[in-house]
């Protein structure tokens, strides 16, 4: 999808694929929200270690071309799908005696972060969509 | 693979269920804080304990929570001199339940807070889902 004007093409060397970027970030935010919910659900489970997904920047850097699976026997490998996101043990603020490392404050802080980023994400997509629709309508 | 946001609501509801089971055990303990035995010298109500375990939910691809077991507190029962009680032994001593109100109240507060946190997550996920659906409204 080309969003930029033809005259701009010379100045913008690398186009920003906004909708793709936004949907990937939304995907990442949803995955992060799932790990946070899992941490909070297990806030009183003995021996549970808090988890977090890798930062979004790392997901962007990891994008690469992969071989297509044309046969059911091929091993599917798709870096753009959320299940290929790495979920790792997170550094947390405290560990209690029962070896549970979930810090409720930290998790709620992260949840607030996710909420804020998600509303920013949907607002931007909405604004771009509105711009796109206005160009389609006026022509 | 379930949608991560839907998975998130499922995890939160598992958390709510676990915490409400914990609250049920606590209220059982508080309600039976004075329940002595019937026969002379018999054991009174023994305090119940609850533990949780994390288990990997393969359809969700995340660790969910569930009640591991409802156990029995093995702390010795305190005794009290009360010869008129039907549970009194030949010396007039009655075994009282090993329920400590202070511990139960602290436990209740903690269960309450965890319940609230799970509920908060559920609300937030619902807001995120409606924000995504709102994109279609234009």
């Amino acid at each position: 999808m080309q969003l930029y004007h033809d005259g701009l093409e010379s100045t913008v060397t690398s186009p920003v694929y906004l909708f793709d970027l936004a949907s990937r970030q939304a995907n990442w935010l949803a995955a992060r929200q799932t790990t946070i919910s899992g941490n909070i659900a297990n806030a009183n489970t003995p021996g549970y270690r808090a988890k977090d997904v890798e930062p979004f920047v790392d997901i962007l850097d990891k994008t690469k071309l992969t071989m297509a699976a044309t046969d059911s026997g091929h091993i599917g490998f798709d870096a753009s799908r959320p299940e290929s996101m790495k979920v790792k043990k997170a550094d947390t603020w405290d560990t209690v005696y029962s070896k549970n490392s979930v810090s409720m404050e930290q998790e709620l802080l992260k949840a607030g972060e996710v909420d804020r980023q998600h509303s920013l994400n949907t607002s931007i997509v909405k604004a771009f969509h509105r711009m796109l629709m206005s160009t389609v309508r006026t022509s | 693979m379930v949608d991560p946001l839907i998975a998130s609501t499922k995890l939160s509801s598992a958390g709510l269920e676990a915490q409400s089971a914990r609250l049920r055990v606590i209220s059982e303990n508080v309600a039976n804080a004075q329940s002595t035995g019937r026969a002379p010298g018999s054991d009174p109500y023994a305090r119940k304990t609850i533990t949780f375990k994390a288990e990997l939910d393969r359809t969700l691809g995340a660790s969910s929570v569930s009640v591991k077991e409802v156990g029995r507190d093995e702390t010795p029962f305190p005794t009290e001199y009360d010869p008129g009680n039907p549970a009194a032994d030949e010396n007039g001593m009655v075994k009282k339940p090993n329920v400590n109100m202070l511990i139960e109240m602290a436990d209740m507060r903690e269960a309450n807070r965890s319940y609230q946190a799970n509920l908060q997550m559920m609300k937030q996920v619902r807001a995120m889902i409606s924000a995504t659906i709102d994109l279609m409204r234009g």
Side-chain angles (χ1 to χ4, degrees), chain B residues 43-99:
Chain B
D43 279 353
Y45 172 82
R47 176 175 177 261
K48 284 182 181 174
T49 57
I50 188 167
T51 42
F52 300 144
K53 68 167 185 286
E55 55 182 4
L56 185 69
D57 191 322
R58 294 201 181 278
T59 48
L60 300 183
S63 20
S64 183
V65 67
S66 66
V67 174
K68 190 180 179 193
E69 68 165 336
V70 176
R72 195 165 175 276
D73 191 341
E74 299 293 344
T75 321
F77 301 112
T79 51
E80 201 174 83
Y81 183 66
D82 184 9
N85 198 305
D89 59 9
E90 61 273 13
N91 300 322
M93 299 305 278
V94 179
K95 284 183 189 164
K96 295 293 231 179
N98 51 358
V99 177

